[in-house]
Amino acid sequence: MDFDFTDAQQAFRQEIRTWLARSVPGELRGRGFASSRGEPEAVARLRAWQRTLHKAGYVGMDWPPEYGGRGASLVEQVMLYEEMARAQAPQPLNRSGLSMLGPTLMKHGSAAQKGRHLDRILTAEEIWCQGFSEPNAGSDLANLQTRAVLDSDWYVLNGQKVWTSLAHVADMGFFLVRTDPSAAKHKGITFILVDMKTPGITVRPLRQITGEAEFNEVFLDNVRVPAANVVGKVNEGWGVAITTLAYERDLLTFIRSISLRNALQRLVKLTQSRGRNTDPVVRQKIAELWIGEQALQLNGYRSLTKILKGGAPGPEGSTSKLFWSHLDQELALTATQVIGPYSQVAGGRWAPDEGQWQFYELLARASGIRAGTTEILKNILGERVLGLPKD
Ligand SMILES: Cc1cc2nc3c(=O)[nH]c(=O)nc-3n(C[C@H](O)[C@H](O)[C@H](O)COP(=O)(O)OP(=O)(O)OC[C@H]3O[C@@H](n4cnc5c(N)ncnc54)[C@H](O)[C@@H]3O)c2cc1C
């Protein structure tokens, strides 16, 4: 990739910077790295923020114009993320819609599905959740048991999903269901779009270590879904899901790096304000994190270049997710060490940065689990990228 910017690109950067300076709502600025997405009020604020971003033309910039994007170049996309981090702006709320389902529908969806959903993903009119994991199907996702049985033009769904982020506020979900139980494990799975308001769906929030309830159990009891909602072919949903998961590990990690950079910039300020910036050990650690963050960005550029040139994310995208989760946890730990015992204070006048660091340290525990656990990603990299023997 060419890192020299043209005059037009420099002008674009200035345009975003000016826009962000006046448009990021005060209550969201600086709260991007450890804010709750579980509470309905927080979700409403973030939904409105995505709408504002979209109206200004800054959501899905890399999407082709026929799907509501700008067909922007990698450089413009990167500039947007850099400037959002600089302005301490939060990421768009509809992350799984934007970076997972959107690209999946563009590749595998019918014309009707693209026409119905892509624009609503961009505007946050439809918030999406991902119904993949089940009590006995997490890392071993192909073990999923939720059944879908054809009844004329409908599929009738029965089963249970778990850890479904944002299901309690989502309008729609993309689900994996078993349509042929007699087929081999990875066959007989179908990818289907479900309206979360359909009768028979019960969503029960699960409270996490952070205290918020961002994810949920989802029970499906004779839920009738139009057969036209199947994405790709019936019984061939595993291939569709692989596309979605690859985008999750690659593109979504790139979006998540906005939060990481936000947190890092804030950590530097915190270190200065507490007079810890003269401590050589702290300086060394922050330099290490800074270099790590730069390496993560460069690796992200490499993946994004490939995608924007028409390629698809491959197993090597797992390096970004693996490295991001490591950095995320290191950063949270460093902040905890810099702040000392006050890092445990969740709110009130003694809580630094309004308790965001306490929240962040607890939230970071999940980084090595969501979107593929650390162990599974190491397996993928070892076996599928490095060609190491399976045992
Ligand atoms: C914050 C958060 C949000 C999430 N959001 C969603 C969501 O929106 N939608 C959704 O569908 N899912 C979601 N998940 C679920 C997530 O995808 C799963 O938690 C993850 O895939 C791991 O599955 P599991 O929890 O069942 O753990 P298990 O698969 O039971 O794993 C338990 C432990 O065993 C290890 N392990 C398992 N198999 C192997 C192996 N073959 N080799 C080495 N080690 C192994 C794992 O690494 C892990 O440490 C979310 C999870 C979190 C933490």
Side-chain angles (χ1 to χ4, degrees), residues 37 95-96 100 128-141 161-167 174 176 208 212 214-216 245 248-249 256 363 365-379 383:
R37 297 196 312 148
R95 283 196 310 228
S96 51
M100 294 165 72
W128 284 80
C129 64
Q130 175 197 13
F132 282 17
S133 305
E134 295 183 6
N136 289 313
S139 302
D140 188 10
L141 183 58
K161 297 290 173 180
V162 73
W163 318 130
T164 321
S165 300
L166 295 185
F174 46 100
L176 287 182
Q208 295 157 236
E212 70 164 0
E214 191 206 48
F215 55 34
N216 306 267
L245 293 173
E248 178 178 27
R249 282 169 200 163
R256 284 203 180 109
L363 188 69
R365 297 297 93 211
S367 302
I369 304 172
R370 69 188 334 167
T373 68
T374 296
E375 293 75 16
I376 293 297
L377 296 180
K378 284 182 178 170
N379 284 352
E383 289 162 19

Side-chain angles (χ1 to χ4, degrees), residues 66-85:
E66 72 259 38
Y67 298 135
R70 286 191 186 190
S73 72
L74 168 72
V75 174
E76 286 159 322
Q77 187 67 46
V78 166
M79 280 179 166
L80 174 70
Y81 290 145
E82 285 179 350
E83 291 303 316
M84 283 180 72

